[in-house]
Amino acid sequence: MSSLQNRTEIFENTPIKKAVLLQIVPAIASQMIALLYNLADTYFVGLINNPVQTAAITVVSPCFVMLTAISNLFGVGGASAIARALGKKEPNRARQIASVSFWGGLVMGILFALLFWLLERPILTLCGAREETFAVVMAYAKWVVVIGGPWTVLNTLLANLVRAEGSARRAFVGVSLGGVLNIALDPLFVLPRFLGWGAAGAGIATAISNMAATVYFLCGIFRRRQDTVLSVAPGHLRHIRAHLGGILVIGFPSALQYALTVVAVAAQAKFVSAYPTEAVAALGIVKKIDQLPLYFSIGVANGLLPLLAYNHAAGNTARRSQAFRFGTLTAVSFSLCCLILFEIFAEPLVGLFIKNPQTVAYGASFLRLMVTAMPMMSVCYPMIVQFQAMGKAGESLICSVLRKGVLDIPLLFIMDALLPLYGCMLVQPTVDSISLIVALLLYRRIRKGEGTQ
């Protein structure tokens, strides 16, 4: 286990800033690659210059987010539990947790894909599909959710588990493999000069890339089985009662936040679908662009999770707090830079994805409104992960539900009535500001309980 001991050295003794950077830089890079291949679908479909094709990706987006929710239920919960087991020097327990997490995610991914297949039409209608877009929407959803769904769940889940034992770089390689493959396949499958399958081709590229990344992770676990605590051996499932509850309790807030994101995004798309198709297409493009600071913050949070959980379990509160502060400062600094750039260059950024003038005009206005609270969001994600690392499921749940679910839909009705269409874009900044205040109060209470300032 000398290789594993070298990796956990990062958690214990490496200087704080170096340890944080060793964890978050590969995790951020993984998120940037994931963002690129999410953007690739919208970008290459946008080159067709058909708002119906671009709108199809927007409509299916909530269902794709739901796959991330399932992945986080077992991936984030499993990663936190694995890191805490390593902090207590219990590698066998970590192996059991990894196996339970993997099989739980696989079963849930398959069940979700089957459920979506059976209820495809009502689900997509709820997400904003209309008769003029329905055929394109269903073609894209078949590949992204039904066929590719389980692979998407496992790709993200395994990346989280790999990071949990200190192998952030290997997680980056796996995610990058899928991302690069997706970007390479998109033009081949999407553009008329090649196969010309449009949005359906983008879905095929996404399914293939997630399958390839999952195979990479599984091969890596098998090849390094002598010096890793990660295992997918079914034999460990006999310990499922001992570990499943702990995994789900910690993973549930993160999963719920993504699941509620589905509701919030679908509700926003539904409100916007009452306006011109160009507005729906613009919303889809903007939701991709504003993901840059979001994905960066998620990358910081994902990288911090094992470091925070390990030191919490080891009783090193000072090291955990220092790592949290440095990681959060990094996320906030990046978000502020994005805020400035997006406000200045909104039109050309939207114009990268589509040349339709009306869509660009809608998109630029939407973007400038939606990014105003990004710095607040960049604090919320690390705080939620801090709570998860400490096993504080209640605090994590409160912050997750506030960010997505409790406030979004009531505010949509209010803001759309006060400022038709554009008011919908002010909902998320309002929610993020409120969520940050609550998270700070909860965190301050925990720190007082620990006797820290």
Side-chain angles (χ1 to χ4, degrees):
M1 297 296 291
S2 58
S3 178
L4 176 61
Q5 289 172 352
N6 289 337
R7 293 196 294 273
T8 55
E9 180 75 8
I10 296 172
F11 298 156
E12 291 183 343
N13 300 315
T14 302
I16 287 293
K17 290 185 178 180
K18 182 179 180 181
V20 170
L21 291 174
L22 285 172
Q23 281 294 113
I24 70 170
V25 169
I28 292 168
S30 296
Q31 289 298 125
M32 293 301 104
I33 293 292
L35 175 59
L36 280 177
Y37 76 77
N38 284 339
L39 288 174
D41 284 358
T42 303
Y43 175 75
F44 286 108
V45 171
L47 290 179
I48 303 172
N49 209 30
N50 182 344
V52 171
Q53 294 278 339
T54 303
I57 297 177
T58 305
V59 170
V60 177
S61 178
C63 304
F64 192 79
V65 173
M66 191 63 193
L67 295 170
T68 305
I70 295 170
S71 179
N72 279 6
L73 179 62
F74 294 94
V76 172
S80 176
I82 288 169
R84 281 182 278 124
L86 293 177
K88 295 178 180 178
K89 311 300 182 185
E90 298 175 346
N92 288 331
R93 181 179 176 85
R95 284 191 193 87
Q96 296 164 11
I97 293 167
S99 183
V100 171
S101 298
F102 171 81
W103 289 102
L106 176 59
V107 170
M108 287 296 295
I110 293 172
L111 289 176
F112 179 78
L114 289 173
L115 182 64
F116 181 89
W117 179 59
L118 292 172
L119 302 174
E120 189 176 50
R121 181 169 285 272
I123 290 173
L124 292 176
T125 301
L126 184 63
C127 291
R130 293 186 283 187
E131 284 304 318
E132 66 191 86
T133 61
F134 222 102
V136 179
V137 169
M138 291 181 73
Y140 180 68
K142 178 182 74 174
W143 287 100
V144 171
V145 182
V146 179
I147 296 174
W151 301 104
T152 299
V153 170
L154 291 181
N155 178 13
T156 308
L157 185 155
L158 288 170
N160 274 308
L161 299 189
V162 168
R163 274 191 292 267
E165 65 166 0
S167 299
R169 186 177 300 175
R170 190 151 55 94
F172 163 67
V173 172
V175 173
S176 298
L177 171 66
V180 171
L181 183 59
N182 194 97
I183 293 168
L185 291 177
D186 259 340
L188 176 63
F189 292 158
V190 172
L191 299 180
R193 73 175 70 103
F194 299 111
L195 294 176
W197 292 337
I204 296 171
T206 298
I208 292 174
S209 64
N210 279 304
M211 183 188 302
T214 299
V215 170
Y216 166 82
F217 281 125
L218 291 176
C219 289
I221 291 171
F222 179 78
R223 189 173 61 250
R224 301 164 65 94
R225 60 190 180 277
Q226 300 301 323
D227 70 338
T228 179
V229 297
L230 301 183
S231 173
V232 297
H236 291 306
L237 292 178
R238 65 180 182 271
H239 302 288
I240 190 169
R241 288 188 177 182
H243 305 303
L244 184 60
I247 293 169
L248 296 180
V249 165
I250 299 302
F252 179 71
S254 183
L256 182 62
Q257 177 170 294
Y258 276 89
L260 291 174
T261 297
V262 172
V263 177
V265 171
Q268 186 180 45
K270 190 69 174 177
F271 270 83
V272 175
S273 69
Y275 298 93
T277 298
E278 288 81 2
V280 179
L283 176 63
I285 291 170
V286 169
K287 293 298 288 186
K288 298 292 184 180
I289 296 173
D290 81 348
Q291 283 178 341
L292 177 60
L294 172 66
Y295 273 51
F296 188 95
S297 298
I298 293 173
V300 170
N302 288 344
L304 284 175
L305 176 59
L307 183 60
L308 300 177
Y310 186 100
N311 282 283
H312 176 72
N316 196 340
T317 301
R319 183 173 175 83
R320 191 203 73 225
S321 297
Q322 291 166 11
F324 171 73
R325 285 197 296 270
F326 180 66
T328 303
L329 178 62
T330 303
V332 171
S333 299
F334 184 81
S335 290
L336 285 170
C337 292
C338 288
L339 172 61
I340 294 169
L341 291 174
F342 288 173
E343 293 290 344
I344 296 173
F345 299 109
E347 284 89 356
L349 284 171
V350 176
L352 290 174
F353 294 90
I354 197 166
K355 301 305 178 185
N356 181 281
Q358 190 174 0
T359 304
V360 172
Y362 277 125
S365 299
F366 292 172
L367 181 61
R368 289 192 173 104
L369 293 172
M370 290 173 67
V371 299
T372 51
M374 279 295 169
M376 290 78 156
M377 173 277 303
S378 65
V379 179
C380 287
Y381 269 99
M383 280 204 164
I384 291 172
V385 162
Q386 170 89 306
F387 297 144
Q388 291 169 331
M390 300 167 69
K392 302 290 186 181
E395 288 82 353
S396 178
L397 181 61
I398 290 170
C399 293
S400 298
V401 170
L402 276 180
R403 278 212 74 245
K404 291 293 180 184
V406 172
L407 302 175
D408 294 70
I409 294 177
L411 282 173
L412 275 171
F413 282 99
I414 295 170
M415 301 299 287
D416 189 53
L418 293 174
L419 188 62
L421 180 59
Y422 297 96
C424 297
M425 310 306 151
L426 290 170
V427 170
Q428 192 56 51
T430 305
V431 170
D432 279 329
S433 301
I434 296 171
S435 299
L436 176 59
I437 294 171
V438 174
L440 287 170
L441 292 173
L442 291 173
Y443 186 51
R444 182 179 180 183
R445 186 181 68 179
I446 292 173
R447 286 173 62 83
K448 283 185 176 181
E450 293 174 338
T452 56
Q453 298 301 317

